[in-house]
């Protein structure tokens, strides 16, 4: 049998399958020709007569979308009174020609079919190139953008060589025009128009890599002041995994914005204010929250039962980061400056305070800042920068140390500039560190290190670079292994949530610049306690303790 004959058979089989699928469709698909191109419209059974909310889907190719894959989402949209539409613009890769067809189809739907002017865009895979480029040209016509592993960078897929013909250019010409043709570089108009974004993208996608597509969009969009939420299913690539197409968060996101509702966001609850510089919250076995006031040289205790804040320890040694060990002892990083202990101290249950370690190789620490206990519950890792304090420095570097229960201390790494917050990964094989210099040209990065058998930290990786923005202070590990980091200043102040690979998932806004955070235990495992500046607008802004009740990690 010839190759030509085999091709004919395959095409006939494909047509037969497509026809069979069409004959068994549950929804009322209106298939039409527009500008000599295949298009579709699916109307809900019940909908308003004018200004009908709608979803523009891409890519619309032969067999896409279909009820087998996208049916669950479409069903929810229709039940919410939201129409779904799309048009086949071929393999345009977001070219100006393709964008022009989208504009004409948008005009047709909004003028002839009573659709609302602003559409919700839903992009799957290479549909990201098509819809993002159109959205950047028409930000006032977009309510929101949702994506399922969407392509956002022409260089990553399909590559400039394959994409260039669709743009009527050669690869070199297309590369020079990426500023006006590459979605990831065209986000500013969308941020200015306050278009919210939601993506779901697997962390092992080799076809459309997470880092250079959804990950890069999330990072850039936050810097531009936009709001985005990224969900990263662990172990998923560019596939037909059910979770991509039955994502309740994506559907809720689209429906909320299509119907003009306000998306629910966690609201910080102010527990206490009046501190000079609050830091280091730690939750005890009884649910009480201890936190330090570095400026006042105090450690406070908040009791959720009676909602009172009392002094736990006076003359704290300028305690900063705090943590409880498995026996209920309070471990504190005592810093520098007036009265600073420059040590790691242990406060037992009876209130007795002792020094666990204060020096390495006979040299006093700079100013212990934050700490974490390894997964074995034995060794305590702590960062040792110097931000304030006129005490003479005995160490000529700012590093990360670990101390054993017997007080013996070793240098874990000095491959950092100014280490601050530190936490372990869920499996204990990695440590996440905030490298946070406050000088104009300082390093402000989220780092990861591998933990060796000897307890040393090696293989430094930069997971996220904050550039000139205020970087991370303290951090906490969420129940599912995500990193909750206190960062940003002013309007950008908040909890920056990263997945373990360093991709920014979303930001929870706070009323003041944050310093540290920690999660509760048991039934309160999704309660996040945050130390931060008190709300703005007061005569004198102080530092405070907040509580955030989250519905997910």
């Amino acid at each position: 049998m010839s190759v030509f004959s085999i091709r004919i058979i395959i095409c006939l089989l494909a047509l037969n399958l497509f026809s069979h699928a069409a004959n068994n469709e549950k929804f009322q698909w209106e298939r039409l020709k527009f500008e000599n191109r295949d298009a579709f419209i699916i109307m809900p059974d019940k909908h308003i007569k004018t200004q009908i909310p709608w979803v523009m889907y891409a890519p619309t190719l032969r067999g896409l979308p279909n009820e087998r894959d996208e049916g669950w989402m479409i069903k929810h949209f229709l039940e919410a009174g939201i129409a779904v539409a799309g048009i086949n613009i071929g393999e345009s890769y977001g070219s100006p020609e393709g964008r022009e067809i989208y504009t004409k189809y948008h005009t047709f739907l909004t003028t002839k079919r009573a659709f609302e002017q602003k559409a919700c865009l839903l992009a799957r895979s290479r549909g990201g190139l098509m819809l993002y480029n159109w959205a950047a040209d028409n930000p006032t016509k977009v309510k929101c953008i949702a994506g399922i592993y969407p392509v956002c960078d022409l260089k990553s897929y399909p590559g400039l060589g394959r994409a260039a013909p669709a743009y009527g250019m050669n690869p070199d010409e297309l590369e020079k025009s990426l500023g006006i043709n590459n979605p990831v570089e065209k986000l500013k108009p969308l941020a200015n128009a306050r278009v919210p974004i939601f993506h779901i993208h697997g962390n092992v996608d080799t076809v459309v890599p997470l880092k250079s597509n959804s990950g890069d969009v999330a990072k850039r969009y936050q810097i531009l002041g936009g709001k985005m939420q990224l969900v990263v299913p662990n172990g998923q690539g560019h596939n037909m995994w059910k979770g991509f197409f039955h994502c309740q968060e994506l559907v809720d996101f689209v429906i909320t914005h299509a119907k003009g509702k306000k998306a629910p966001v966690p609201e910080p609850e102010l527990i206490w204010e009046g501190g000079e510089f609050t830091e280091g919250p730690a939750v005890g076995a009884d649910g009480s929250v201890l936190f330090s006031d570095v400026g006042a040289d105090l450690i406070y205790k908040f009791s959720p039962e009676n909602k009172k804040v009392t002094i736990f320890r006076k003359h704290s040694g300028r305690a900063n980061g705090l943590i409880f060990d498995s026996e209920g002892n309070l471990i504190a990083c005592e810093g520098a400056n007036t009265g600073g202990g420059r040590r790691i101290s242990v406060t037992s249950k009876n209130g007795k305070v002792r020094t666990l370690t204060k020096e390495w190789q006979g040299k006093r620490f700079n100013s212990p800042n934050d700490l974490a206990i390894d997964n074995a519950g034995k060794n305590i890792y702590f960062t040792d920068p110097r931000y304030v304090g006129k005490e003479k420095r005995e160490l000529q570097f700012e590093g990360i140390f670990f101390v054993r229960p017997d007080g013996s201390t070793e240098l874990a790494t000095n491959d950092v500039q100014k280490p601050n917050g530190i936490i372990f990964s869920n499996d204990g094989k990695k440590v996440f560190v905030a490298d946070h210099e406050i000088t104009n040209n300082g390093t402000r990065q989220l780092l990861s290190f591998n933990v060796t058998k000897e307890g040393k930290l090696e293989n430094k990786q930069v997971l996220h670079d904050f550039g000139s923005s205020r970087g991370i202070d303290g951090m906490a590990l969420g129940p599912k292994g995500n990193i909750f980091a206190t960062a940003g200043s002013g309007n950008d102040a908040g909890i920056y949530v990263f997945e373990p690979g360093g991709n920014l998932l979303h930001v929870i806004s706070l009323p003041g610049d944050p310093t540290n955070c920690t999660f509760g235990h048991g039934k309160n495992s999704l309660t996040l306690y945050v130390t931060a500046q008190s709300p703005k607008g007061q005569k004198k802004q102080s530092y405070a303790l907040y509580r955030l009740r989250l519905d997910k990690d």
Side-chain angles (χ1 to χ4, degrees):
M1 185 179 292
S2 68
V3 174
F4 181 71
S5 299
I6 293 173
R7 286 178 177 172
I8 291 176
I9 291 172
I10 291 173
C11 289
L12 288 172
L13 286 171
L15 285 170
N16 183 57
L17 287 172
F18 181 74
S19 175
H20 176 75
N23 290 333
N24 288 275
E25 289 169 342
K26 297 178 182 178
F27 311 133
Q28 296 299 313
W29 294 70
E30 179 186 348
R31 291 188 169 86
L32 63 152
K33 285 288 185 179
F34 183 85
E35 296 283 316
N36 292 318
R37 294 177 178 271
D38 292 329
F40 77 89
I41 301 170
I42 312 175
M43 295 297 294
D45 291 335
K46 297 180 180 179
H47 59 82
I48 56 179
K49 293 183 178 180
T50 60
Q51 298 296 305
I52 300 168
W54 62 294
V55 171
M56 173 75 87
Y57 181 90
T60 298
L61 301 171
R62 189 166 188 83
L64 291 177
N66 60 71
E67 294 188 10
R68 181 195 64 195
D69 301 326
E70 288 88 356
W72 184 87
M73 295 186 294
I74 293 173
K75 176 176 178 290
H76 281 74
F77 296 149
L78 297 177
E79 288 176 348
I82 301 166
V84 184
I87 184 168
N88 185 351
I89 59 172
E91 295 291 9
S92 65
Y93 300 125
S95 68
E97 181 183 356
R99 295 177 227 168
E100 184 180 353
I101 296 170
Y102 273 138
T103 298
K104 290 180 179 179
Y105 194 48
H106 174 276
T107 301
F108 165 73
L109 292 172
T110 55
T111 58
K112 304 298 184 182
R113 303 303 291 266
F115 280 21
E116 191 176 1
Q117 277 293 319
K118 286 191 173 185
C120 296
L121 309 185
L122 176 52
R124 169 183 168 185
S125 192
R126 58 190 181 273
L129 296 173
M130 305 170 187
L131 290 183
Y132 262 103
N133 271 352
W134 181 81
D137 293 345
N138 300 274
T140 59
K141 298 175 182 177
V142 181
K143 273 194 171 181
C144 68
I145 302 174
I148 300 172
Y149 43 70
V151 184
C152 304
D153 183 3
L154 279 166
K155 292 179 292 183
S156 75
Y157 183 92
L160 301 185
R162 283 179 60 189
Y167 284 80
M169 303 178 184
N170 62 45
D172 290 338
E173 291 171 333
L174 181 56
E175 185 172 20
K176 292 177 183 178
S177 74
L178 288 178
I180 59 173
N181 286 315
N182 200 21
V184 77
E185 299 179 46
K186 297 178 59 179
L187 298 170
K188 188 173 176 54
L190 299 173
N192 290 345
R194 300 183 181 277
V195 175
I197 298 174
F198 178 100
H199 285 186
I200 181 169
H201 205 136
N203 67 334
V204 293
D205 193 329
T206 57
V207 179
V208 182
L210 168 65
K211 200 79 174 178
S212 55
N213 288 277
S214 294
D216 200 13
V217 169
K219 181 179 178 180
R220 292 173 182 246
Y221 210 55
Q222 186 277 323
I223 293 172
L224 292 169
K227 296 294 183 182
M228 176 174 174
Q229 183 179 353
L230 173 61
V231 172
V232 180
N234 187 43
Q236 293 299 328
H238 208 77
N239 56 41
M240 302 306 297
W241 177 59
K242 185 177 179 180
F244 287 128
F245 302 94
H246 288 234
C247 179
Q248 191 67 53
E249 290 172 278
L250 183 150
V251 165
D252 290 345
F253 171 85
V254 172
I255 292 175
T256 295
H257 292 288
K259 306 200 84 171
K261 296 180 180 179
K262 187 176 181 180
V265 294
E267 291 292 338
E269 174 192 354
L270 180 63
I271 292 175
W272 179 88
E273 61 182 325
E276 293 185 32
F277 189 80
T278 52
E279 254 281 7
V283 180
D286 63 351
S288 60
V289 183
L290 271 62
F291 61 100
S292 54
D293 188 342
V294 183
D297 200 19
L298 297 169
I299 297 177
Y300 287 102
K301 178 180 180 179
F302 165 65
S303 174
E305 291 186 357
N306 59 26
K307 299 181 180 180
K308 290 184 178 180
V309 174
T310 56
I311 294 176
F312 175 81
R313 178 184 162 193
K314 296 181 178 180
H315 310 297
S316 70
R318 302 290 178 187
N320 195 321
L322 307 174
I323 197 170
F324 284 96
D325 66 15
S326 59
E327 297 178 359
N329 300 310
L330 180 68
I331 318 298
C333 283
E334 297 186 14
N337 211 355
T338 308
R342 295 168 68 189
R343 63 175 180 167
I344 303 298
S345 67
V346 180
T347 303
S348 62
K349 292 180 180 179
N350 62 13
K352 185 177 180 180
V353 182
R354 65 180 177 88
T355 297
L356 181 59
T357 183
K358 64 178 181 180
E359 59 189 22
W360 175 72
Q361 296 185 350
K363 297 180 180 180
R364 291 296 302 276
F365 297 126
N366 295 310
S367 180
N369 184 282
D370 208 352
L371 70 173
I373 301 176
D374 66 14
N375 283 24
K378 295 182 178 179
N379 298 332
I380 300 167
Y381 285 69
F382 61 95
T383 57
D384 185 43
R386 173 64 75 86
Y387 288 104
V388 296
K390 296 182 179 179
E391 297 93 332
K392 181 180 178 181
R393 288 184 57 164
E394 299 180 27
L395 292 172
Q396 299 309 307
F397 63 89
E398 302 181 24
I400 302 171
F401 297 87
F402 68 91
V403 55
R404 301 182 180 89
D406 63 4
S408 59
T409 305
E410 289 195 35
L411 176 67
T413 185
N414 61 2
D415 189 14
V416 286
Q417 299 301 315
K418 194 174 285 289
N420 199 304
I422 181 170
I423 54 176
F424 275 86
S425 63
N426 260 345
D427 60 10
K429 296 179 180 180
K430 289 182 180 290
V431 163
F432 302 112
V433 177
D435 202 350
H436 188 179
E437 292 183 293
I438 57 177
T439 56
N440 289 336
N441 297 318
T443 300
R444 289 177 276 273
Q445 298 173 332
L446 171 61
L447 309 176
S448 73
F449 291 89
N450 292 342
V451 183
T452 68
K453 293 181 180 179
E454 296 76 26
K456 301 286 187 176
L457 303 182
E458 64 178 18
N459 190 29
K460 181 176 80 171
Q461 301 289 324
V462 177
L463 301 184
H464 186 89
D465 194 324
F466 283 81
S468 61
S469 301
R470 178 176 179 259
I472 298 170
D473 197 333
M475 299 183 288
L477 194 73
K480 294 182 181 178
N482 291 329
I483 302 162
F484 286 69
T486 56
S489 181
N491 292 333
D492 295 327
I495 304 296
Y496 287 59
V497 185
F498 299 89
E499 53 88 35
N503 291 290
L504 180 64
L505 302 181
H506 58 102
V507 178
I508 304 170
S509 296
L510 292 171
D513 295 3
T515 58
N516 215 327
C517 61
T518 193
F519 279 93
H521 306 311
K523 65 180 182 180
N524 294 316
S525 62
L526 288 179
T527 297
L528 187 68
Y529 292 96
V530 183
T531 49
Q533 288 178 326
S534 59
K536 296 178 177 63
Q538 302 177 1
K539 291 182 179 180
K540 182 180 180 182
Q541 191 169 20
S542 62
Y543 277 80
L545 176 69
Y546 295 89
R547 176 167 53 194
L548 280 164
R549 300 185 189 276
L550 309 177
D551 59 0
K552 60 186 176 181
D553 171 15

